[in-house]
Amino acid sequence: MGKGRNLPLTAYALGVYLFLFTPIVVLVLFSFNDSPRNFVWRGFTLDWYPVLFKDAHVLGALWISIQVAAIAVVGSTVLGTLLGLGLARLRGGFGGGIADTLILLPMVTPEVVMGISLLLFFALLFDAHGSILQIAISHIAFSISYVTIVVRARAVSLDPRIVEAARDLGSSPLSAFWHVTLPLLMPAVGAGAMIAFALSFDDLIITSFQAGPGSSTLPLYIYSRIRFGVTPEINAISTIIVSVTALIILVAWRIGAVKPAKPQPTI
Amino acid sequence: MMRARFRDGALLFPGISWLFVFFAAPLAIIFVVSLGQRDAYGGAILDKGLSFNNYLRALEPSFLPTVLNSLKYAVATTVLSIGISYPIAYWISRHGGSRKGLLLILVMLPFWTSWVIRTYAWMIILRDNGVLNGVLQATGIIHDPLILLNTDFAVVLGMTYGFLPFSILPLYVSIDRVDESVVAAARDLYAGPAQAFRHVTLPLTMPGVIAASLLTFIPAIGDFVTPDILGGAQTTTIAKVIQSLFLSARDWPFGAALGFLLILATIIGTVSTLRILRAEVIG
């Protein structure tokens, strides 16, 4: 009992996977639809892909998204890794408890509130309205927590004696960090960076309050197009994004960079 | 020893400072702006006296339907998400065997793709002449197309789909942690499968359920994109009102007051479940 099969539950699980993948399949299918309207199937075509690569708006928005994500990944990975390591070493205590709560708060703050708070912050204190840097800074603010949690989980499991051994053998704290701790943390740092990239590349709500003319990210551009009716061009770029991410995730999983056995409650 | 502890504390300094400047300080600014008045361009005037007038406006009866609508979507999404996620998380944990890793990756895969694009995909599916109606009509199940898009159903479906990983993952971690021998012991003591689940597994995974609920409820209440894309222009939620007060109607102080009320509600929810959240989310 218990260990055996449970047919109704297995059937249910298949149903959930169907639910999860149906929108993705529909999206990909309609990128090959021979009709500028996105809702009725007319026939197969590959025409939307060349159109996409000539569309200056899409490519411009993609380029802005990539720049924002690059800054956000570097910033949140560096800050989150230091935080995760520091919290793991402190192991609670008064300061650690407060820091833990502060890490948790951005994860449980409604995005719309974070969006307007950063808009007011930049507009009132710096008279800034929508540079790439402003968007990236706001992305770092909500990504730090995720990196911290992933890195912290691994740092807690590190044997402190390994670092002590390096110190006994005469390495400075900095070189022990660089040559011992960081390489051991690397899988978690990599996973954290991937999460930060996904969060930044995907964010719409917070970004919509930061972006100004000329700094529309890809999700923001797609959102603005949806209101006026979308051509399969948007499906085409979605298909490319889906394929690339799926490939990266599966490869990362295969080579063992991503270990989902003990996942954190993050994207 | 003391010095080492000091050094470990110093590791926290850059990240904590960042969060103070770019997270905590902006939230404080919301509160200050919410006490001000609207200027001619929709910005905030703060030097003509501060008042709670914007909060009184938020409490007017005319605003109540918007609040209730937001709550309706967020509660329905949370209940539905937990209902969908618990069995699948349970199945992966107990019946996944050596394929647990792959099964979890497959659950996550759709969520590594763009959220706005996935929401848009539901629009293609749910439209009057969309995929679902097409399939149902072609198979003769229905004759006239069902009106699915721009309904409450579409909004709740879209939100549930969009935020599902926030409930599946904490639930999986929580269920996977339950020692199976504890359940076996209950069964040895003549508890039926249902009884063992109700009296052993479910109570042990309750912290996971609470964490998952909060992690679903919060993005749902702060989401204005799904109500906009799938609910249509006439749907109002708090988040949608805030968005328009900042980006089109331009009344920052009133928008800030609504935002502050939202964060207040969230903080109450978070603080009252803080211990659970810290144990479940941070570990």
Side-chain angles (χ1 to χ4, degrees), chain B residues 79-93:
Chain B
V79 171
L80 199 61
S81 297
I82 300 291
I84 291 175
S85 303
Y86 199 104
I88 184 88
Y90 185 91
W91 180 76
I92 295 175
S93 168

Side-chain angles (χ1 to χ4, degrees), chain A residues 87-224:
Chain A
L87 286 176
R89 289 196 178 156
L90 283 177
R91 287 183 197 252
F94 180 67
I98 292 179
D100 274 351
T101 307
L102 192 61
I103 302 298
L104 203 58
L105 281 176
M107 303 176 77
V108 295
T109 301
E111 279 196 75
V112 63
V113 176
M114 256 178 112
I116 60 170
S117 73
L118 285 158
L119 176 139
L120 291 173
F121 177 83
F122 284 111
L124 298 180
L125 299 187
F126 300 97
D127 200 27
H129 302 274
S131 64
I132 286 177
L133 192 63
Q134 179 182 342
I135 302 174
I137 286 174
S138 59
H139 285 191
I140 295 173
F142 67 75
S143 304
I144 288 180
S145 307
Y146 293 87
V147 180
T148 303
I149 288 174
V150 176
V151 171
R152 188 199 145 118
R154 184 162 174 100
V156 165
S157 68
L158 288 188
D159 189 340
R161 285 173 299 185
I162 301 176
V163 176
E164 280 163 27
R167 298 278 284 123
D168 286 345
L169 293 168
S171 70
S172 68
L174 200 64
S175 113
F177 170 78
W178 195 253
H179 294 290
V180 180
T181 313
L182 195 58
L184 287 169
L185 288 179
M186 222 44 205
V189 174
M194 271 172 79
I195 292 170
F197 181 85
L199 287 172
S200 168
F201 198 70
D202 197 25
D203 183 75
L204 172 58
I205 292 186
I206 292 174
T207 310
S208 71
F209 291 101
Q210 315 307 326
S215 61
S216 209
T217 59
L218 191 58
L220 207 53
Y221 175 71
I222 293 172
Y223 181 48
S224 69

Side-chain angles (χ1 to χ4, degrees), chain A residues 218-239:
Chain A
L218 191 58
L220 207 53
Y221 175 71
I222 293 172
Y223 181 48
S224 69
R225 285 273 297 263
I226 287 177
R227 298 167 154 209
F228 305 109
V230 185
T231 60
E233 201 188 327
I234 296 300
N235 295 56
I237 188 151
S238 314
T239 302

Side-chain angles (χ1 to χ4, degrees), chain B residues 236-252:
Chain B
T236 57
T237 64
I238 303 175
K240 243 177 121 170
V241 171
I242 294 175
Q243 187 230 14
S244 81
L245 286 172
F246 271 87
L247 298 183
S248 49
R250 312 272 304 173
D251 185 345
W252 287 5

